[in-house]
Amino acid sequence: MIQGWPESDESKRLLMEGVSAFARQEVAAKAAEIDRNGRFPSELVKQMGEMGLMGIMVPEEWGGAGMDAVSYAMAMEEIAAACASTAVVMSVNNSLVCMPILAYGTVDQKERFLRPLAEGKKLGCFALSEPGHGSDPAGLECAATKVPGGYRIKGSKNWISNGREADLCLLFATMDRAKNHKGICAFIVDTKTEGFQVSKLEDKLGICGSSTAQLFFDDVFVADGDLLGKEGEGFKIAMSTLDGGRIGIAAQALGIGRCAFEAAKRFAKEREQFGAPLSRLQAIQFYIADMAVRLQSARLLTWQAAKLKAEGQPYTKAAAMAKLAASEAAMWTANKSIQVHGGYGYTKEYVPERNYRDAKVTEIYEGTSEIQRIVIAARELADD
């Protein structure tokens, strides 16, 4: 379990104890099999729903746990330290689907969509990226046309986490490409709607238990009441959602890195070379020290961003810094954990190999490391 969370906060302490026990006893035991078989962890997702983990920041009146963003980050790290695939399912539903509906949805939309999502009875996905538009969401080609009673959607989306299993899709489409980002709208789409298709599942390096799908919308009808926010507000909704999502990915990266770190410490104490444990070698000690510093530094950045979000303060730069630091710390730690393990680290029998594969995507999705640097630099260089 994470060391150093605010022990004075009883609700956070109880949450962490429960999530940590669940992660150790249930999630970690299945992580290798989930990764090996590329199996969606449906039974774990169901349990997380029952525990309130699929809508942690959603108020209790809408079926959620009513916790804050710091609690969410802590819980996410615990789950990710056990199984990154399970953690990303939880992250998408919380950060990318529940939160924008909570922020921009009508009372009717919260009752019909947010409540079952927060209670874990339905699963959501976030469909922004397209085959030709990943880091440039303002150039969307997926098109929405106004018709009597609603809209018709035509187009495709790429790299959609939870895309195969999702019951609801938060979809972004443009009504007028000439308006660039000002022409984008957000829609809540039932995946059982006629014309919705899952056309391709990606064969990925890591996070193998979470589906990453290409989606097609073949003249899909969306009712007026399922437009999220107002026409033209889609880009604003997407960007604000990604800010919060980056806190979740930072926490996920921390969990992956922590898993690799703990594995390196265990192996260094148990494995002997030259008549003594590896942990007696200064080169190994330096690796362990650097892992600890990088992960804790990133954790504090993540908690700071989460605290700002919980307090209703601007947190765009803080979230970008947290995601950048945590994803790169996780990747570095997983790499060095393999080095500590030597030849054993290169085999699937030991966990750092999986950590290394899982960590890489945290530097890519919900904004690449390069995008995070652009966001941070823009705010640092902005006129006061």
Side-chain angles (χ1 to χ4, degrees):
M1 188 166 64
I2 302 170
Q3 299 298 313
W5 83 89
E7 295 184 12
S8 59
D9 190 327
E10 183 69 7
S11 64
K12 288 186 176 63
R13 185 185 68 79
L14 292 173
L15 172 74
M16 291 307 301
E17 287 180 353
V19 176
S20 180
F22 169 69
R24 290 194 315 271
Q25 296 165 15
E26 301 289 338
V27 182
K30 299 177 180 179
E33 180 270 325
I34 289 169
D35 174 74
R36 182 171 59 251
N37 296 322
R39 179 178 69 81
F40 182 77
S42 55
E43 75 283 12
L44 297 177
V45 174
K46 182 176 184 295
Q47 288 176 274
M48 290 193 297
E50 293 168 350
M51 295 173 65
L53 297 182
M54 298 302 284
I56 295 179
M57 296 175 286
V58 175
E60 293 181 16
E61 65 178 298
W62 297 115
M67 305 294 281
D68 65 13
V70 179
S71 300
Y72 169 59
M74 293 176 178
M76 177 59 60
E77 179 177 339
E78 289 296 317
I79 299 298
C83 176
S85 292
T86 302
V88 76
V89 176
M90 172 182 160
S91 175
V92 169
N93 201 72
N94 273 278
S95 297
L96 301 187
V97 189
C98 283
M99 296 315 292
I101 297 176
L102 177 65
Y104 296 96
T106 63
V107 171
D108 175 64
Q109 289 171 341
K110 290 174 183 177
E111 187 62 47
R112 288 191 294 129
F113 302 127
L114 181 58
R115 184 179 300 281
L117 287 166
E119 292 176 346
K121 295 177 180 177
K122 289 190 176 182
L123 184 67
C125 68
F126 179 87
L128 177 64
S129 296
E130 296 182 359
H133 300 278
S135 295
D136 178 23
L140 297 186
E141 296 180 34
C142 185
T145 302
K146 189 73 180 75
V147 297
Y151 305 81
R152 289 284 179 182
I153 312 292
K154 292 184 179 181
S156 62
K157 294 291 178 178
N158 244 27
W159 319 114
I160 309 304
S161 298
N162 294 354
R164 177 180 59 188
E165 297 82 13
D167 302 290
L168 298 171
C169 173
L170 182 54
L171 168 69
F172 296 86
T174 181
M175 291 189 68
D176 187 347
R177 291 197 68 195
K179 292 183 178 180
N180 296 315
H181 67 279
K182 293 183 179 180
I184 296 173
C185 300
F187 303 92
I188 306 170
V189 182
D190 188 321
T191 60
K192 295 182 180 63
T193 303
E194 183 179 357
F196 178 92
Q197 303 172 39
V198 177
S199 63
K200 179 186 176 184
L201 295 174
E202 303 295 344
D203 187 9
K204 300 176 296 182
L205 175 70
I207 315 287
C208 297
S210 164
S211 67
T212 300
Q214 185 177 49
L215 307 179
F216 270 100
F217 299 83
D218 184 12
D219 204 30
V220 171
F221 177 76
V222 181
D224 283 328
D226 296 343
L227 171 72
L228 184 64
K230 299 176 181 178
E231 289 186 1
E233 285 191 333
F235 187 80
K236 178 181 74 172
I237 293 171
M239 294 302 100
S240 64
T241 299
L242 288 174
D243 280 346
R246 286 164 183 162
I247 296 173
I249 298 303
Q252 181 193 359
L254 286 171
I256 296 168
R258 194 179 97 205
C259 183
F261 177 45
E262 291 173 349
K265 289 192 292 183
R266 286 194 304 271
F267 190 85
K269 292 176 181 178
E270 296 167 0
R271 175 72 169 166
E272 289 195 1
Q273 289 284 284
F274 310 110
L278 284 176
S279 58
R280 297 288 297 276
L281 299 175
Q282 190 177 64
I284 302 301
Q285 292 174 355
F286 282 5
Y287 279 157
I288 298 299
D290 287 343
M291 289 178 192
V293 171
R294 290 177 188 233
L295 290 173
Q296 185 63 5
S297 298
R299 182 175 292 116
L300 293 175
L301 283 171
T302 302
W303 287 0
Q304 179 191 44
K307 186 172 185 292
L308 290 172
K309 184 179 188 302
E311 294 173 347
Q313 298 186 46
Y315 65 95
T316 295
K317 183 179 77 171
M321 293 175 74
K323 183 183 183 295
L324 176 64
S327 60
E328 295 194 348
M331 195 65 200
W332 188 91
T333 299
N335 180 32
K336 296 307 180 185
S337 184
I338 290 174
Q339 199 71 15
V340 170
H341 283 74
Y344 292 103
Y346 201 65
T347 69
K348 291 184 181 294
E349 181 181 356
Y350 287 77
V351 73
E353 179 270 344
R354 185 176 83 237
N355 299 146
Y356 185 84
R357 289 185 290 106
D358 288 345
K360 183 57 195 173
V361 76
T362 66
E363 294 183 314
I364 299 172
Y365 60 12
E366 294 191 36
T368 64
S369 292
E370 290 75 19
I371 290 294
Q372 305 315 311
R373 287 183 165 90
I374 290 171
V375 170
I376 295 163
R379 280 155 179 77
E380 290 292 344
L381 297 171
D383 294 333
D384 294 333

